[in-house]
Amino acid sequence: MTAIAVLGSTNMDLVAYVARAPERGETVTGREFRTIPGGKGANQAIAAARAGGEVLMIGAVGDDAYGTRLRAELEHAGVETDLLHTAEGPSGTAHIVVDDTGANAIVVIPGANGTVHTLGHGEMAAIAEADLLLLQLELPLPAVVEGARMAHAQGVRTILTPSPVQPLPDELFDNVDLLIPNEHEAAALSGKTEPHAAAEILLRHVPEVVVTLGSKGCLYAARDSETIHFPAPEVTAVDTTGAGDTFVGALAVALGEGRAVPEALAWASIAAALCVQKPGASTSMPYRSEIDAA
């Protein structure tokens, strides 16, 4: 079984479902509200665990009711939480509006995630013992860089989702094996709006890039090889909130199992397609049996 360490955020998603998202200064009436455990780190951890990985979560929750529920949700999914610390104050929250097309807009309040500035001996040892490390950018950047540096030094394959997008230091790029931005993040990091061109620029910094394109699938690019487009399964989206994290979690499991890139990307794309057909992020992530059967 693939050992995956996830250094990342845990948030409670506060989700409002509306026919149409409000314009600036406008108020609209929604049809439903849900509180759903999430955060990019926790989402990727749950996706990987459901896809068959042995997953350890590194991060922090608050000492509030949300923190208790977030920890319980991870443990229910089979994620080890010994290194998910409890910080004083509120847990992180994500305030999400989802419209009838399944599109979303999100505001993240870091809460306890903002306390993770550095890693201790236990966290570093856990990263060193993993097969893969999953990173995102909802924790303070120094901790993300520290985790990537440790993983690289120990030969642990490191996958970074650069979200929320921000300028990245060379020290982080230098310690990442696979970068997985969506097309907007790829454009922001590369200065190129066309995904193929963006991927070519990003390959100057990292050995491999997957640019996710939503319903259009994804692009895979590696140094000294052609860029390949992989289409996504055609489905009707209900909520796209957790699709990217589901894709990353499933892809990590597939790559850790030694699958060839085309097979791994196809399997991860099926997982993401299953996810978007249900509401919520962590609650909609498929199990390995569902991915295999699709």
Side-chain angles (χ1 to χ4, degrees):
M1 186 177 291
T2 304
I4 299 172
V6 181
L7 172 59
S9 60
T10 56
N11 294 320
M12 186 60 73
D13 292 348
L14 311 177
V15 189
Y17 294 92
V18 298
R20 177 183 60 81
E23 303 289 342
R24 181 175 296 182
E26 180 184 18
T27 300
V28 299
T29 299
R31 67 173 181 276
E32 186 179 3
F33 173 77
R34 295 185 181 186
T35 57
I36 303 172
K40 295 197 71 64
N43 285 345
Q44 291 183 6
I46 290 172
R50 289 186 175 183
E54 181 181 326
V55 185
L56 167 71
M57 183 75 204
I58 302 171
V61 294
D63 59 0
D64 54 4
Y66 286 163
T68 301
R69 185 177 168 195
L70 287 165
R71 185 183 297 277
E73 187 72 18
L74 284 160
E75 292 173 350
H76 179 71
V79 177
E80 183 180 328
T81 63
D82 288 353
L83 295 176
L84 181 65
H85 302 289
T86 300
E88 290 186 4
S91 298
T93 52
H95 304 255
I96 305 172
V97 175
V98 179
D99 67 23
D100 278 351
T101 70
N104 61 70
I106 305 173
V107 176
V108 173
I109 310 298
N113 299 302
T115 67
V116 185
H117 292 282
T118 189
L119 304 180
H121 175 75
E123 289 86 353
M124 299 292 261
I127 290 171
E129 293 170 2
D131 296 313
L132 296 98
L133 173 66
L134 299 184
L135 299 167
Q136 320 79 36
L137 299 176
E138 289 184 344
L139 294 184
L141 196 56
V144 177
V145 172
E146 192 174 6
R149 189 192 310 121
M150 168 57 75
H152 184 75
Q154 298 297 319
V156 176
R157 189 170 190 172
T158 303
I159 300 175
L160 172 64
T161 305
S163 177
V165 70
Q166 57 184 281
L168 300 181
D170 288 341
E171 187 177 12
L172 181 53
F173 273 132
D174 291 345
N175 290 297
V176 168
D177 298 302
L178 172 59
L179 185 71
I180 309 183
N182 64 27
E183 55 190 316
H184 307 294
E185 293 154 359
L189 290 172
S190 69
K192 301 289 185 180
T193 56
E194 200 283 315
H196 287 81
E200 289 301 316
I201 295 294
L202 294 173
L203 286 178
R204 299 175 186 175
H205 301 283
V206 296
E208 294 179 282
V209 177
V210 173
V211 181
T212 58
L213 305 171
S215 62
K216 295 177 288 185
C218 66
L219 291 177
Y220 171 77
R223 293 171 180 167
D224 302 320
S225 68
E226 293 184 4
T227 300
I228 306 171
H229 175 249
F230 292 86
E234 292 187 11
V235 298
T236 300
V238 172
D239 183 354
T240 61
T241 304
D245 294 327
T246 299
F247 178 88
V248 172
L251 181 62
V253 172
L255 292 174
E257 292 173 351
R259 302 194 199 191
V261 168
E263 180 188 355
L265 289 171
W267 199 70
S269 295
I270 291 170
L274 290 170
C275 170
V276 302
Q277 296 177 69
K278 298 177 182 179
S282 61
T283 52
S284 65
M285 292 171 172
Y287 290 89
R288 187 184 185 95
S289 59
E290 297 175 284
I291 306 170
D292 286 340

